[in-house]
Amino acid sequence: MQLSGLISKMRTGLSMGMAQYQLPIGDKLLNMNDLVGETIQLKFNDQINCANCGKTTNKSYSQGYCYPCCQKLASCDLCIMKPETCHHHLGTCREPAWGLDNCFTPHIIYLANSSGVKVGITRKSNIPSRWIDQGAVSALPILEVDTRLKSGQIEVALKAFVNDKTNWRKMLKNEVEEIELEQVRDRLLPKVRLLADELGANTINNETLEINYPVVEYPSKISSLSFDKTPLISGVLQGIKGQYLILDVGVLNIRKFGSYNITLTY
């Protein structure tokens, strides 16, 4: 079988504790879990089209956009990576209506274990996809606020006590220690209680969510693959974790190649 078209980051879900992946390619959605253990071939067709305006671009910015769109879209602004810098209230948002729809909605501050415990934030509607995208083996929401800015402010406070980054190499090797996230939560929340109360945060008393991934063999050594260097990639799909395809010839970060025109053969 063969499918061709522009790709974007894999859509994710959770079923019976197992992460589920679908790859958007052209106008199709390909169930990638079904291909684990099979030989696949991915060929870059030397074409990139902006996910916003559709124009041909020589480089994909912010995972799928041409440079002009990257500079004008609110979803590509610095505050997306650093929510504590949200500036909508100053009247300087690139797209005020987009900001209202996306940044003034319930946001969750959470703990996750992807390569060790980390703190993060996400829109409530992005759960559990956000955690699967990060390759977290367990996750625990701890606080809920009504804006992205507030979630960023609490995250900054928590970063003084816990990491906010994932070591992607350890994540892909599955070198992840078992961590009792509820114990970490109970230790951290008192440290930010005054700020959380000031911002009107609600405490969440959920149990930790465990996440499994469709992987038959984790790599012992990480070799990163790129369509820019290797337009034709072929190998056995040994698993999927985060937004990475784990092949016997290396790992491919699908998110990085948003809006690339690809032919996938399986």
Side-chain angles (χ1 to χ4, degrees):
M1 294 286 291
Q2 193 173 80
L3 290 175
S4 295
L6 303 182
I7 62 171
S8 58
K9 80 167 193 169
M10 290 180 284
R11 299 185 186 179
T12 59
L14 194 64
S15 177
M16 304 293 288
M18 178 63 69
Q20 305 293 320
Y21 289 91
Q22 291 181 310
L23 175 67
I25 179 166
D27 59 355
K28 304 293 184 182
L29 277 176
L30 180 61
N31 190 329
M32 296 302 293
N33 289 53
D34 292 344
L35 300 184
V36 173
E38 303 294 328
T39 297
I40 64 172
Q41 177 180 284
L42 302 106
K43 179 180 178 293
F44 174 40
N45 297 319
D46 198 29
Q47 179 183 339
I48 308 172
N49 292 90
C50 176
N52 182 58
C53 70
K55 292 182 179 178
T56 300
T57 175
N58 292 327
K59 183 177 179 180
S60 173
Y61 296 87
S62 293
Q63 303 162 19
Y65 301 100
C66 65
Y67 185 74
C69 286
C70 181
Q71 292 299 297
K72 73 179 183 181
L73 293 174
S75 58
C76 298
D77 203 350
L78 176 64
C79 52
I80 297 302
M81 297 299 296
K82 296 184 175 182
E84 70 276 11
T85 65
C86 174
H87 48 95
H88 191 283
H89 60 291
L90 300 176
T92 54
C93 181
R94 293 179 178 182
E95 297 176 279
W98 186 94
L100 286 174
D101 289 340
N102 289 274
C103 301
F104 289 81
T105 60
H107 276 65
I108 299 296
I109 300 96
Y110 64 84
L111 299 173
N113 182 11
S114 49
S115 60
V117 65
K118 70 178 292 291
V119 62
I121 68 102
T122 189
R123 290 195 300 272
K124 189 174 183 179
S125 59
N126 279 346
I127 292 175
S129 292
R130 175 64 171 166
W131 302 330
I132 297 172
D133 286 347
Q134 295 179 337
V137 298
S138 59
L140 179 68
I142 60 173
L143 293 168
E144 180 178 339
V145 291
D146 57 359
T147 71
R148 184 174 181 83
L149 174 60
K150 291 178 182 178
S151 69
Q153 292 171 330
I154 295 175
E155 182 187 33
V156 168
L158 285 169
K159 280 161 56 174
F161 310 102
V162 65
N163 198 3
D164 69 326
K165 298 290 190 298
T166 294
N167 183 322
W168 64 277
R169 293 180 180 274
K170 289 181 65 176
M171 181 271 289
L172 288 174
K173 290 181 180 179
N174 203 37
E175 295 177 349
V176 186
E177 296 181 8
E178 186 173 336
I179 297 173
E180 295 293 335
L181 293 180
E182 292 166 33
Q183 292 182 9
V184 179
R185 174 198 62 195
D186 295 343
R187 174 172 58 84
L188 290 178
L189 280 182
K191 299 180 183 297
V192 296
R193 176 50 60 193
L194 288 178
L195 176 62
D197 289 345
E198 178 183 329
L199 296 177
N202 294 318
T203 302
I204 302 173
N205 293 309
N206 287 13
E207 294 182 352
T208 298
L209 177 67
E210 306 291 340
I211 304 172
N212 297 298
Y213 292 87
V215 180
V216 294
E217 184 177 348
Y218 285 99
S220 58
K221 182 180 179 180
I222 301 297
S223 176
S224 186
L225 301 170
S226 169
F227 287 124
D228 298 325
K229 297 179 179 179
T230 310
L232 181 63
I233 297 171
S234 181
V236 177
L237 181 60
Q238 296 180 322
I240 314 169
K241 194 175 186 186
Q243 280 288 325
Y244 286 85
L245 300 183
I246 302 173
L247 300 159
D248 61 345
V249 294
V251 299
L252 181 68
N253 184 356
I254 291 295
R255 183 197 293 265
K256 182 179 178 180
F257 298 101
S259 293
Y260 277 54
N261 190 300
I262 303 296
T263 295
L264 191 153
T265 304
Y266 60 99

